[in-house]
Amino acid sequence: MSAPSLVMSRRSRGVTRSPVRDLLALTQRPEVTSFAGGLPAPELFDLAGWRTAFDGALAGDAGRRSLQYAPTEGDAALRAAVAERMTRRGLPTDEAELLVTTGSQQALSLVAAALLDPGAVVAVEEPTYLAALQAFQAAGARVVAVPGDAEGIDPAALADVLERERPALLYLVPTFANPTGRTLGAERRRAIAELTAAHRVWVVEDDPYGELRYRGDAVPPLAASGAEHVLYLGSFSKIGAPGLRLGWLRAPESVRSTLVVAKQAADLHTSTIDQAAAAAYLATADLDAHVRYLCAAYRARRDALIEALADAVPAGAEVSDPDGGMFVWLRLPGDVDTERLLPAALERDVAFVPGAPFYAGPPDRATMRLSFTTHTADEIAEGVRRLAPVLNAE
């Protein structure tokens, strides 16, 4: 007699797989030039600085505290240091406004748990961060795309979606967006803040890449407008190390306690030792100098990719030229499906991410995302040389 089938939840069945995570397993061979993963360059990690920080976090009585349970809101010293850093960067912040999270991805899940009922509508820029789509799908939300252009989400299109769909939440990566690399201008940010305030819609401003600027002046965050409906997500993953799994959520008082309860239900608190080490690192290391070091290295790699693609793509292709971040967005001419090109690229030991999974609505299948951070300029040139025949095959 066969055993009865076990049933998964409807929410879990509605969450799509991440092709980026799947591709990571296929691109571990050292001969593969992978433009697929949005990974920081490991050779640029401040290994010595973090070793010193962990040694300090584990020393004496402080080390015993660092290995104990801790408050859900997070390490007080770390929250104070993050608040001070955010204030210096133009977003006045008090440590009481911050909740430390296990990466900014957990912050997305907490926001979804706290603010979304099953069937709620979430508006997103088209295309957008794939793992955000997964978080909203897992919450049982219906995701609605908002069109945009080279400067990001279009306020007029957003106004139409707000009237027609009545979303509970708008999700944005306004600075060096994943996957497109676009940056939303100051005027559009003001318009979006005003529109969403008028319609009483929460805004989630995800900013993992904002400090990785290689050209131009910084644009103030949406949260800097003082709006009480904007939640801001930050992360150490791109400027420190992703293995720490440390992020933070800056939230208005009206929703903060609900988010704390959601985190208590998720994991009680983020790793105490990692938080203590991050607090020690911010107290003893020069993170600003390290960010400048990262920007210099990544600027050269971005330039190398843009230069190599100029001679590699077919006529009519569109290649973004981001002011910062980690990604170049490429659109091939015609009705090409880049997912169909991926096997041929992998045979040539080069990888990219097809663009279709980043779309909440009907996808533009002629698109792809290329990350430039994990390879040297010479490796990038070689990778694009291998990729060029694939891009021109159709």
Side-chain angles (χ1 to χ4, degrees):
M1 183 175 178
S2 61
S5 298
L6 299 176
V7 179
M8 296 184 296
S9 72
R10 291 181 181 177
R11 289 189 188 184
S12 67
R13 294 198 299 268
V15 180
T16 57
R17 288 181 64 92
S18 168
V20 180
R21 307 305 303 178
D22 291 343
L23 273 171
L24 286 177
L26 297 174
T27 57
Q28 293 301 303
R29 292 178 290 120
E31 65 270 23
V32 174
T33 301
S34 178
F35 300 120
L39 308 178
E43 73 274 15
L44 303 182
F45 293 158
D46 183 8
L47 192 58
W50 284 106
R51 184 183 294 114
T52 299
F54 272 94
D55 285 345
L58 286 169
D61 289 340
R64 293 182 177 88
R65 290 193 297 272
S66 298
L67 296 173
Q68 185 56 279
Y69 285 114
T72 300
E73 291 83 352
D75 182 287
L78 176 59
R79 292 161 68 209
V82 170
E84 188 274 333
R85 184 175 180 80
M86 291 176 66
T87 299
R88 280 196 289 111
R89 294 185 59 232
L91 179 52
T93 302
D94 185 88
E95 67 176 270
E97 297 176 276
L98 297 176
L99 173 64
V100 177
T101 59
T102 306
S104 61
Q105 184 64 30
Q106 187 192 47
L108 272 176
S109 297
L110 298 179
V111 167
L115 302 181
L116 300 177
D117 290 319
V121 175
V122 174
V124 300
E125 180 183 357
E126 187 83 302
T128 196
Y129 176 45
L130 175 58
L133 295 178
Q134 290 180 306
F136 300 139
Q137 291 167 352
R142 181 168 65 90
V143 183
V144 174
V146 182
D149 55 25
E151 196 185 335
I153 196 168
D154 178 6
L158 175 62
D160 177 65
V161 168
L162 293 175
E163 288 287 347
R164 176 167 37 87
E165 301 287 352
R166 305 292 181 184
L169 182 151
L170 169 66
Y171 171 78
L172 292 172
V173 185
T175 307
F176 315 136
N178 182 357
T180 61
R182 299 168 181 159
T183 295
L184 196 64
E187 185 175 337
R188 289 198 184 187
R189 294 185 189 217
R190 285 191 293 270
I192 288 167
E194 292 169 2
L195 273 170
T196 49
H199 285 80
R200 301 180 62 82
V201 173
W202 292 105
V203 177
V204 175
E205 179 179 12
D206 199 354
D207 187 26
Y209 312 104
E211 294 197 59
L212 300 180
R213 175 173 284 279
Y214 320 133
R215 178 175 58 212
D217 298 324
V219 186
L222 274 80
S225 65
E228 283 294 302
H229 66 298
V230 181
L231 295 86
Y232 177 96
L233 278 56
S235 175
F236 281 112
S237 290
K238 307 305 185 292
I239 60 173
L244 294 166
R245 305 311 303 134
L246 285 176
W248 59 89
L249 173 56
R250 180 187 185 273
E253 184 179 4
S254 59
V255 72
R256 207 175 303 142
S257 61
T258 304
L259 290 163
V260 170
V261 171
K263 181 163 174 61
Q264 288 171 350
D267 66 357
L268 301 183
H269 62 79
T270 294
S271 166
T272 314
I273 181 60
D274 289 345
Q275 291 188 69
Y281 185 87
L282 290 174
T284 59
D286 189 343
L287 181 55
D288 289 340
H290 182 67
V291 170
R292 290 192 295 272
Y293 169 65
L294 292 177
C295 287
Y298 290 158
R299 181 187 299 113
R301 297 177 185 197
R302 176 208 58 184
D303 293 347
L305 180 58
I306 297 294
E307 181 180 352
L309 286 172
D311 296 325
V313 298
E318 301 171 15
V319 181
S320 70
D321 185 5
D323 291 336
M326 303 176 74
F327 306 110
V328 167
W329 187 243
L330 168 61
R331 189 191 187 283
L332 295 173
D335 59 356
V336 175
D337 184 346
T338 59
E339 188 171 356
R340 291 175 50 217
L341 303 182
L342 183 57
L346 291 171
E347 287 181 3
R348 292 175 172 269
D349 290 329
V350 64
F352 60 85
V353 181
F358 297 100
Y359 287 82
D364 182 350
R365 295 188 176 278
T367 56
M368 65 173 65
R369 191 192 76 177
L370 301 165
S371 177
F372 50 80
T373 47
T374 53
H375 293 286
T376 66
D378 288 344
E379 290 168 343
I380 288 170
E382 172 59 21
V384 173
R385 186 192 66 77
R386 294 183 211 160
L387 184 60
V390 178
L391 300 180
N392 289 275
E394 298 192 23

